[in-house]
Amino acid sequence: MKETNNVEQRPRTSLSKGARRNQILRRITVVGVIAAVITAAFAGYCLHRERVEEKQKAEELRKEKQDKKEAAKVKSKPETAEQKLERIRKQATEHGYPKNVIELLDKNVETVDFVADYEKKKDKPYADTIGKDLSQGGIPELLQWDERWGYAPYGTSIVAASGCGPTCMAMVAAGLNQDASITPAKVAAYGTEHGYVDEENNTYWRFMDEAGANWNLNSTAGLLSEEQVALELSQGHPIICSVGPGDFTKIGHFIVLTGYENGNVKVNDPFSIKNSKATWVFANIKDQIKAMWVFSKK
């Protein structure tokens, strides 16, 4: 008869379960630590971001206050004409305005607003009439850089920069015909279309000889004495003059004589308000005149 081993054998599975439990606990602990680290890092990031945003807001508020202070200074101390001129010149240069537009500032400071508005208004429709500038029975004073038509093309340039000739013709034609629909832009378009402007955008003298007929005008060319000037103007015949370097230009220019009294002539200068408001002694400007055209209604 065999003897049986009565020694009780302990189950091996109980030890394995304990080890597994410990392993799970360790893993849970590790995961918890990692989660805590991530949470702390995220919280730190959020706190850092909030601080950065607070600093940015504080900086924006500081700049806003500074801008308000600067604006208040400007209001309390108005911009001088010289400061405005330089500001517009800088603006025009930075925005890449055409050279002939920027050069207007050097030729006549009166053009500063025209240059300032170039980008905003250059593509807008041009005025269809000269409006209230047409006075009953008189020759209107028109400016080539008037924003109503100064941005209009003339040759490869614009009326403001090169259109003294068409603007003078517009003054004469509108005045003699008492027709407000004759504008510098329309006359410039006619001049360009019919080849009266050269490659440098100067107006040929033959424009003054021939173009007036399009507006039912007679044109008589020739240099006149002071007595002849006085007589023609007294009869209501305006005189367009081509002038050389002197009081009106450094190179060449067209002006209109519209009146005469006691040796003085009234000049409509299409490029200068100041010149148009001044009284000119004919004897002082006659040597600057290179050609004259007397206009009358047909």
Side-chain angles (χ1 to χ4, degrees), residues 69-80:
K69 286 182 180 179
E70 293 297 328
K73 286 181 181 179
V74 171
K75 287 182 179 180
S76 61
K77 189 177 181 181
E79 185 178 44
T80 66

Side-chain angles (χ1 to χ4, degrees), residues 165-166 169 173 187 190-191 194 196 203-219 295 298:
M169 182 64 78
V187 177
Y190 179 87
H194 291 82
Y196 289 117
T203 303
Y204 288 118
W205 280 6
R206 60 186 177 85
F207 175 76
M208 300 303 173
D209 294 318
E210 304 167 2
N214 186 63
W215 293 281
N216 200 34
L217 301 179
N218 292 312
S219 172
F295 288 87
K298 283 187 177 181

Side-chain angles (χ1 to χ4, degrees), residues 42-104:
F42 181 73
Y45 168 76
C46 291
L47 182 61
H48 172 72
R49 186 174 179 179
E50 287 178 1
R51 288 177 178 173
V52 170
E53 290 177 351
E54 287 176 357
K55 287 183 179 180
Q56 288 177 341
K57 288 180 180 179
E59 180 63 18
E60 289 174 359
L61 287 173
R62 187 191 68 78
K63 288 182 178 179
E64 185 178 344
K65 289 180 180 179
Q66 185 65 28
D67 290 342
K68 287 181 179 179
K69 286 182 180 179
E70 293 297 328
K73 286 181 181 179
V74 171
K75 287 182 179 180
S76 61
K77 189 177 181 181
E79 185 178 44
T80 66
E82 291 77 11
Q83 289 171 334
K84 181 178 181 179
L85 182 67
E86 290 311 310
R87 175 174 61 81
I88 299 305
R89 189 192 308 279
K90 181 180 179 182
Q91 169 191 311
T93 302
E94 290 177 349
H95 287 240
Y97 290 6
K99 182 181 178 182
N100 61 353
V101 173
I102 299 175
E103 287 176 344
L104 292 173

Side-chain angles (χ1 to χ4, degrees), residues 18-258:
R20 188 178 299 169
R21 187 180 299 111
N22 290 337
Q23 188 179 35
I24 291 171
L25 289 173
R26 284 196 299 271
R27 288 179 178 175
I28 291 173
T29 301
V30 170
V31 171
V33 170
I34 292 172
V37 170
I38 292 173
T39 301
F42 181 73
Y45 168 76
C46 291
L47 182 61
H48 172 72
R49 186 174 179 179
E50 287 178 1
R51 288 177 178 173
V52 170
E53 290 177 351
E54 287 176 357
K55 287 183 179 180
Q56 288 177 341
K57 288 180 180 179
E59 180 63 18
E60 289 174 359
L61 287 173
R62 187 191 68 78
K63 288 182 178 179
E64 185 178 344
K65 289 180 180 179
Q66 185 65 28
D67 290 342
K68 287 181 179 179
K69 286 182 180 179
E70 293 297 328
K73 286 181 181 179
V74 171
K75 287 182 179 180
S76 61
K77 189 177 181 181
E79 185 178 44
T80 66
E82 291 77 11
Q83 289 171 334
K84 181 178 181 179
L85 182 67
E86 290 311 310
R87 175 174 61 81
I88 299 305
R89 189 192 308 279
K90 181 180 179 182
Q91 169 191 311
T93 302
E94 290 177 349
H95 287 240
Y97 290 6
K99 182 181 178 182
N100 61 353
V101 173
I102 299 175
E103 287 176 344
L104 292 173
L105 298 173
D106 297 318
K107 295 177 180 178
N108 185 358
V109 296
E110 294 172 344
T111 63
V112 65
D113 289 330
F114 176 89
V115 176
D117 292 337
Y118 174 78
E119 195 167 44
K120 180 172 60 176
K121 296 184 178 181
K122 64 183 178 68
D123 296 320
K124 289 191 173 183
Y126 316 121
D128 197 46
T129 76
I130 63 172
K132 295 180 180 179
D133 286 310
L134 182 64
S135 57
Q136 190 67 31
I139 303 300
E141 292 181 13
L142 303 179
L143 293 167
Q144 62 194 82
W145 44 265
D146 189 308
E147 294 186 6
R148 290 175 292 175
W149 46 70
Y151 305 109
Y154 183 53
T156 58
S157 182
I158 59 175
V159 172
S162 304
C164 56
T167 304
C168 285
M169 182 64 78
M171 286 191 257
V172 169
L176 290 178
N177 287 289
Q178 286 297 286
D179 184 353
S181 71
I182 303 173
T183 71
K186 293 176 182 178
V187 177
Y190 179 87
T192 300
E193 181 182 351
H194 291 82
Y196 289 117
V197 55
D198 69 16
E199 64 278 0
E200 294 181 353
N201 300 304
N202 299 309
T203 303
Y204 288 118
W205 280 6
R206 60 186 177 85
F207 175 76
M208 300 303 173
D209 294 318
E210 304 167 2
N214 186 63
W215 293 281
N216 200 34
L217 301 179
N218 292 312
S219 172
T220 304
L223 289 173
L224 306 178
S225 67
E226 183 170 343
E227 290 74 18
Q228 290 172 316
V229 167
L231 178 61
E232 294 292 351
L233 293 177
S234 69
Q235 295 176 349
H237 301 158
I239 303 170
I240 293 180
C241 302
S242 174
V243 293
D247 293 303
F248 304 100
T249 179
K250 292 181 179 179
I251 302 175
H253 190 42
F254 289 101
I255 59 174
V256 186
L257 306 184
T258 62

